[in-house]
Amino acid sequence: MGRLEGKVALVTGAGRGIGRGVAMLLASEGASVVVNDLGTGLGGDGADVSIAQQVVSEIEAAGGTAMANTDSITDYDAVGEMVQGAIDRYGKLDIVVNVAGILRDRMIFNMDEAEWDAVIAVHLRGTFNTCRHASAHFRERREGGRFINFSSTSAWGSPGQPNYAAAKYGILGLTAVLANSMNRYGATANAILPYAATRMIDSTPRAEKVREETGKLPSELAIGSEGDPANVAPMVAYPATDDAQNI
């Protein structure tokens, strides 16, 4: 029996990269998983509803339980419906993992308002939306609850990422508030600042230099190495367990 047997988890951005690895691991540990992914490009453009369903199919093929959701986490009401949908389907919600994100990199003196707003909306507002709706359920149940939010070392001042860095710093503050306000209801909140070579890193100027030198993108080179996105998932799995109530 897995350590998350009987738990219900919602993972945003679960169609690819780190989010996919998290969803797969939580499912393998026994959790029923809501796989949320709009299937957009790195800049938040377009949509591919098949991305989330592919992960669900993989989880089910491995003997796990999952359902797909393709709503945008920037939509407050849609996120409320997603959370309620998980409760209606599985009877409750125990774990919320916020991984979803986009990039629109630009130096501060070149960034326009739309590029700022788009990144803030997905990372910061999206994390608020899921935590807001899940927190009401956690408060009502008073049987625990796990918020696991993804920040980034870019929060410390990554050049060319004023929007992304501001959002990721904001997530740290939001997570601290969750920890201090929801502990009375048995809920915990943690933020993770991971290192992994994902398609986000593939989009940077440094990635192009790596491809010129090696013929492969960083995400391809990372498979099986310390930069493999699959290595991040265990950092989520433990805070999601009942053993993590005191961390």
Side-chain angles (χ1 to χ4, degrees), residues 28-227:
S28 72
E29 287 290 338
S32 298
V33 181
V34 179
V35 177
N36 165 263
D37 203 297
L38 187 57
T40 67
L42 278 178
D45 54 297
D48 184 350
V49 297
S50 71
I51 298 297
Q53 187 56 52
Q54 288 172 13
V55 178
V56 169
S57 297
E58 290 182 62
I59 290 173
E60 292 177 337
T65 302
M67 62 181 286
N69 178 277
T70 57
D71 292 327
S72 170
I73 59 169
T74 66
D75 185 328
Y76 180 87
D77 291 332
V79 172
E81 293 173 3
M82 174 173 62
V83 169
Q84 188 59 50
I87 297 167
D88 292 344
R89 177 79 170 267
Y90 300 118
K92 61 175 182 172
L93 180 62
D94 301 289
I95 304 157
V96 173
V97 187
N98 288 292
V99 188
I102 64 171
L103 288 179
R104 292 196 183 178
D105 289 356
R106 198 84 65 192
M107 294 297 287
I108 185 66
F109 41 77
N110 289 324
M111 180 164 288
D112 62 34
E113 186 177 22
E115 291 165 334
W116 173 271
D117 288 346
V119 172
I120 295 294
V122 173
H123 288 273
L124 190 52
R125 188 198 308 159
T127 298
F128 162 75
N129 285 343
T130 54
C131 292
R132 160 63 181 85
H133 291 292
S135 66
H137 179 62
F138 293 167
R139 177 174 178 262
E140 182 179 353
R141 286 183 65 215
R142 296 174 185 255
E143 295 181 13
R146 300 288 179 262
F147 301 100
I148 303 170
N149 299 328
F150 273 69
S151 182
S152 170
T153 55
S154 293
W156 311 143
S158 178
Q161 294 186 315
N163 45 7
Y164 184 78
K168 289 305 190 182
Y169 209 109
I171 287 171
L172 292 175
L174 174 59
T175 305
V177 169
L178 287 168
N180 287 329
S181 60
M182 293 299 295
N183 63 346
R184 70 194 67 183
Y185 307 111
T188 64
N190 291 276
I192 294 175
L193 287 70
Y195 167 72
T198 65
R199 65 183 185 136
M200 282 192 172
I201 289 181
D202 286 346
S203 70
T204 65
R206 181 173 65 84
E208 185 57 37
K209 182 178 180 181
V210 170
R211 181 163 60 177
E212 290 174 359
E213 294 174 349
T214 68
K216 293 184 177 181
L217 289 166
S219 63
E220 298 174 289
L221 293 171
I223 297 173
S225 74
E226 65 177 12

